[in-house]
Amino acid sequence: MRLCRFNEGRLGVVDGATLKDVTAALDVLPGCRYPFPAHDVYIEHLDRVTERAAVLAADAPSLPVDGATLLSPVASPGKIIAAPVNYRKHADEVLTDPALHQNNPGRALNIQSTGLFLKATSSLVGPGQGVVIRKADRRTDHEVELAVVIGRRASRVSRRDAMAHVAGYAIGLDISIRGPEDRSFRKSPDSYSVLGPWLVTADEVPDPGSLDLRIEVNGETRQQSNTQHMILTVAELIEMASSMYTLHPGDLIFTGTPEGVSPIAAGDRIVATIDRIGAMTVTARVDDTAPLVA
Ligand code: MN
C-alpha cells in the first residue's frame, strides 16, 4: 500500500495518479496524554491503519495526486538517522573535491569507521512544502537517498533479523550545506530533510538492494545509480544503528547518497525518483522569513 499525508494532515491511499482520502482510518490510533510517546504512533499502529484504510478506500472521495500538497509521510519520527559515504563512488568524489572534504579527507573514510549521524527532526518536510535555502552564500547540495521507515522496536538486532523491523520505504533528500561544521549542524536546517512522496509498505519492496535512484535538477540528471552500490545494505545499516541505540516505530534511516552531489539554489525544480516508490517534485526557494522571537 502507498500511504501519503497531504494538505492539512489528511491521510491518503495512492492508486496511480489518484488518491483516496482515508483520513478516518487515523481514528484507530489511541488517544495520547502528556507525556506524549517519543516515537511515531501512526507507524507503531500501521497494520491497523492500513487495514482500516483498505476498507474505507472503497467509498472514499478521490482527488488527483497532482492537486494535493504532499507532507512527510511520517509526521513525528523520534530520530532521523543518516549514513555518510555509503556509496563507493560518492566516497571517491568526496576525496577528490576540497569543497566536499574541507581539507579533512577523513570525511571520506568508509562508513564502518565513521558510523552514522543524526539530523534534527525539525528539519523534516514533505515534497509539497519545498526546501527553503537557509544560507544563500553557502554551497547547498542535493543528496537523493533511499529512506527506510522503522516499524518495530529494534535494539542490537543482527542483519539477519533486521528486515522484520522495516515498515516501509520512501524517497529521502538529505539537503546539505557544505563546510567545516559537524554534519548534524550543516544538514539540519528547517526543510533540509525531505521525505516523500508517500510511504510504500515493505511488502511492495521485496529487495531494497536493487532499486534505481535518480535526481534531476531543472531537467538535468545529476545523480543516477542503484542501491546495489550501497556499501552497507539496509539490513547492515539497521544492525549498525541498533547496536548503538534502540530504534522505534517511525524512526527514519537515510541510507546514503551516490555520486553526483551538486549545488541547488532558490528557484530550482528538483525531481527525485526511486524504483517501486515513485517520483517527487520539490522546489527550492529563498528564505524570506523574519527572525522568530515568539
Ligand atoms: Mn546523505
Side-chain angles (χ1 to χ4, degrees):
M1 185 176 278
R2 297 175 168 209
L3 288 157
C4 70
R5 296 181 57 254
F6 67 101
N7 298 356
E8 304 302 325
R10 305 199 69 78
L11 184 71
V13 173
V14 178
D15 181 12
T18 63
L19 69 81
K20 297 288 185 72
D21 186 333
V22 294
T23 304
L26 296 175
D27 293 346
V28 303
L29 300 181
C32 295
R33 293 187 63 183
Y34 183 82
F36 303 120
H39 60 267
D40 191 285
V41 173
Y42 157 67
I43 298 296
E44 179 185 21
H45 297 285
L46 190 64
D47 287 349
R48 290 170 61 195
V49 175
T50 54
E51 193 178 326
R52 185 76 185 124
V55 172
L56 291 170
D59 294 313
S62 65
L63 62 153
V65 172
D66 281 352
T69 299
L70 293 173
L71 310 175
S72 167
V74 182
S76 306
K79 292 189 280 301
I80 304 175
I81 301 156
V85 290
N86 198 28
Y87 285 76
R88 188 74 260 154
K89 287 182 180 172
H90 174 58
D92 292 344
E93 77 181 347
V94 172
L95 258 182
T96 54
D97 185 347
L100 297 179
H101 68 61
Q102 295 291 318
N103 300 317
N104 179 13
R107 282 207 177 156
L109 286 174
N110 63 34
I111 186 169
Q112 291 91 341
S113 325
T114 57
L116 306 173
F117 66 97
L118 295 170
K119 292 172 65 102
T121 52
S122 53
S123 67
L124 186 64
V125 294
Q129 295 165 283
V131 170
V132 181
I133 301 293
R134 187 80 178 195
K135 301 270 185 190
D137 57 333
R138 301 276 300 270
R139 176 173 162 177
T140 300
D141 284 5
H142 56 74
E143 297 189 351
V144 63
E145 317 200 354
L146 175 68
V148 178
V149 181
I150 295 297
R152 292 170 44 206
R153 281 181 62 178
S155 181
R156 300 191 188 93
V157 294
S158 69
R159 62 194 68 182
R160 194 178 56 249
D161 298 327
M163 301 310 284
H165 299 267
V166 175
Y169 301 90
I171 304 171
L173 298 186
D174 174 21
I175 305 296
S176 307
I177 295 174
R178 299 305 175 193
E181 304 97 327
D182 190 83
R183 283 188 177 92
S184 67
F185 193 54
R186 297 182 287 109
K187 292 168 171 271
S188 287
D190 300 355
S191 81
Y192 277 33
S193 300
V194 186
L195 192 74
W198 35 70
L199 169 74
V200 179
T201 51
D203 56 294
E204 297 199 15
V205 187
D207 181 10
S210 64
L211 305 173
D212 284 332
L213 73 169
R214 185 171 82 245
I215 195 166
E216 295 170 20
V217 178
N218 302 327
E220 179 191 341
T221 299
R222 298 276 185 88
Q223 294 182 274
Q224 185 158 28
S225 187
N226 186 288
T227 55
Q228 68 179 282
H229 300 301
M230 293 198 306
I231 294 168
L232 292 187
T233 64
V234 168
E236 290 166 339
L237 289 168
I238 292 170
E239 178 182 87
M240 177 185 261
S242 75
S243 76
M244 193 62 86
Y245 30 58
T246 300
L247 305 179
H248 296 274
D251 282 2
L252 305 175
I253 303 179
F254 281 40
T255 58
T257 202
E259 71 279 9
V261 299
S262 66
I264 56 170
D268 284 348
R269 185 174 184 273
I270 300 156
V271 180
T273 309
I274 300 184
D275 273 352
R276 289 186 178 269
I277 298 174
M280 65 180 188
T281 300
V282 180
T283 56
R285 65 183 187 276
V286 71
D287 183 2
D288 57 2
T289 53
L292 185 65
V293 293

